[in-house]
Amino acid sequence: CIADAVGPEVFGSDAPVVMEVLMAGHKGTIEADDPQVPYLLQASTRIAKCMQKDFAPYMAHLLPSILSFARLDPKLDFQAADAEGDGDGGESAVVDIKGMGKMKVSINIKELEDKALGCATLAALAESLLEHFMPYLDVACEILIPCVCYKLSDDVRVAAVEAMPDLLKALKAAVDKGLQAPSSLHLLLEKAWTQLMQAAIVEPEAEGQATILSAVADCIQACGPGCLSDEQQLQLCTVVQPAVQDHLDGGGAKDEEDEEDEEEVLREVVEVLCAALKAHGASFVPKVQQTVLPLFGQLLGEQRSADDKCCALNVLVDLIDHGSTA
């Protein structure tokens, strides 16, 4: 996309003209099954990044298509193992299901891709529009928050996870300008927090864990000091504790990519703990001491890597810096 190539500073003055041309090509209602819709949504998010608040007038025209994508609910289709075709127009695999025997399971991949695009588009527009996204915040939250634990697609799940900080930042901008009550920010964080913690617990892949922890850190930074209750602070430490322990244990032979993913998880654990320390200071220190601090002490062992020691020292420095009164 030209907008990405030249940047907002260069493309900004041309963005409204380009958007008008795109809208002129889609007069009236945009049908969700129009093959051009994915390209329109992708282009719109890039243009919105340039136009920021000035993109708001186009939302009414685009929103129905965005929501129709994000609300897609493709289902698993079960057929006899020897059935012809791939069920609902998607991909299939034969699996052995307890009590049912071998079955052909299929799902509409195109719908999953479109759902992920719809979720990612909502997140990108929240990031660009900030307080001007408020008319659409409730419906975006209604769709995106449950998708944080979406089981059928990594892309949908990642899009929803990465959307949580964007939604909170948009609401925070509205709160800062007196357009929303401060309590609304904590209510939204509480809804997102429950799903993010559950996602962090059940996510099996290191790359996915890193994405979730990064989003949690961004959420804490977006909401600022005092955003987490004592219970949430302890829950955070409890959730990241197994990740640090797994890193210490090593978990057997791994290829280079797996090792890099696990190192990234550890770095994100440090980021989220440091974000919580900055937001809560001395009140967060006892929770760290009860759970993960002994593990970080082990990361300072003589046989540990320089990266491990660096991560441990970062946590200790922030404990001293932000929790000095504990």
Side-chain angles (χ1 to χ4, degrees):
C1 181
I2 295 174
D4 286 338
V6 302
E9 296 80 7
V10 176
F11 187 72
S13 60
D14 297 318
V17 178
V18 175
M19 201 63 205
E20 289 296 340
V21 171
L22 286 174
M23 290 295 95
H26 294 274
K27 292 179 180 179
T29 303
I30 305 173
E31 299 296 335
D33 58 356
D34 185 336
Q36 296 185 43
V37 170
Y39 304 106
L40 175 63
L41 298 188
Q42 291 169 7
S44 296
T45 59
R46 294 178 171 95
I47 294 171
K49 189 175 181 179
C50 295
M51 295 181 68
Q52 303 287 314
K53 65 179 182 180
D54 294 328
F55 188 85
Y58 303 106
M59 285 294 293
H61 192 62
L62 291 169
L63 193 64
S65 295
I66 299 170
L67 295 181
S68 69
F69 272 36
R71 283 176 169 149
L72 285 169
D73 188 23
K75 303 292 187 183
L76 290 173
D77 182 60
F78 296 87
Q79 297 178 299
D82 57 355
E84 295 184 1
D86 288 329
D88 192 20
E91 295 186 2
S92 65
V94 175
V95 296
D96 198 350
I97 301 175
K98 186 176 182 180
M100 298 175 66
K102 289 188 176 181
M103 300 288 292
K104 179 182 285 187
V105 183
S106 61
I107 194 167
N108 192 315
I109 299 300
K110 177 64 166 58
E111 286 192 355
L112 287 175
E113 292 173 347
D114 287 347
K115 183 177 182 66
L117 175 59
C119 292
T121 301
L122 284 173
L125 293 174
E127 180 184 19
S128 296
L129 293 174
L130 292 176
E131 69 271 18
H132 301 280
F133 191 76
M134 288 305 96
Y136 322 106
L137 182 67
D138 287 345
V139 67
C141 292
E142 175 189 325
I143 294 170
L144 290 169
I145 291 176
C147 287
V148 167
C149 292
Y150 193 75
K151 296 179 180 179
L152 300 180
S153 167
D154 290 347
D155 290 340
V156 171
R157 195 163 60 249
V158 168
V161 166
E162 293 181 340
M164 295 301 103
D166 295 325
L167 297 177
L168 287 165
K169 289 173 186 176
L171 182 53
K172 179 66 161 57
V175 170
D176 290 345
K177 295 189 176 182
L179 302 174
Q180 295 286 333
S183 59
S184 63
L185 189 64
H186 295 289
L187 287 173
L188 178 53
L189 175 61
E190 186 173 351
K191 293 177 182 177
W193 187 264
T194 301
Q195 292 292 98
L196 287 168
M197 291 297 100
Q198 179 62 25
I201 291 170
V202 301
E203 175 58 54
E205 301 295 333
E207 184 178 0
Q209 291 174 0
T211 298
I212 295 166
L213 293 175
S214 177
V216 172
D218 287 345
C219 287
I220 295 171
Q221 291 167 359
C223 294
C227 61
L228 300 180
S229 66
D230 282 344
E231 181 181 355
Q232 289 170 328
Q233 293 175 41
L234 183 57
Q235 183 184 26
L236 175 61
C237 292
T238 304
V239 165
V240 302
Q241 189 174 8
V244 184
Q245 185 65 63
D246 287 346
H247 185 81
L248 279 166
D249 294 342
K254 299 182 181 67
D255 59 30
E256 185 176 346
E257 184 176 350
D258 288 338
E259 289 181 358
E260 290 177 357
D261 287 343
E262 290 199 359
E263 289 170 1
E264 182 62 24
V265 171
L266 183 62
R267 286 191 289 268
E268 293 300 341
V269 168
V270 173
E271 288 297 318
V272 76
L273 290 176
C274 291
L277 280 165
K278 185 175 180 180
H280 299 88
S283 70
F284 187 58
V285 173
K287 287 86 170 178
V288 177
Q289 292 174 325
Q290 295 167 22
T291 53
V292 294
L293 188 58
L295 300 180
F296 278 104
Q298 294 180 49
L299 289 176
L300 290 171
E302 185 177 345
Q303 303 302 317
R304 305 304 304 188
S305 69
D307 285 343
D308 284 359
K309 293 176 182 178
C310 185
C311 286
L313 288 172
N314 282 338
V315 172
L316 292 174
V317 167
D318 270 36
L319 276 169
I320 295 169
D321 190 16
H322 299 295
S324 56
T325 60

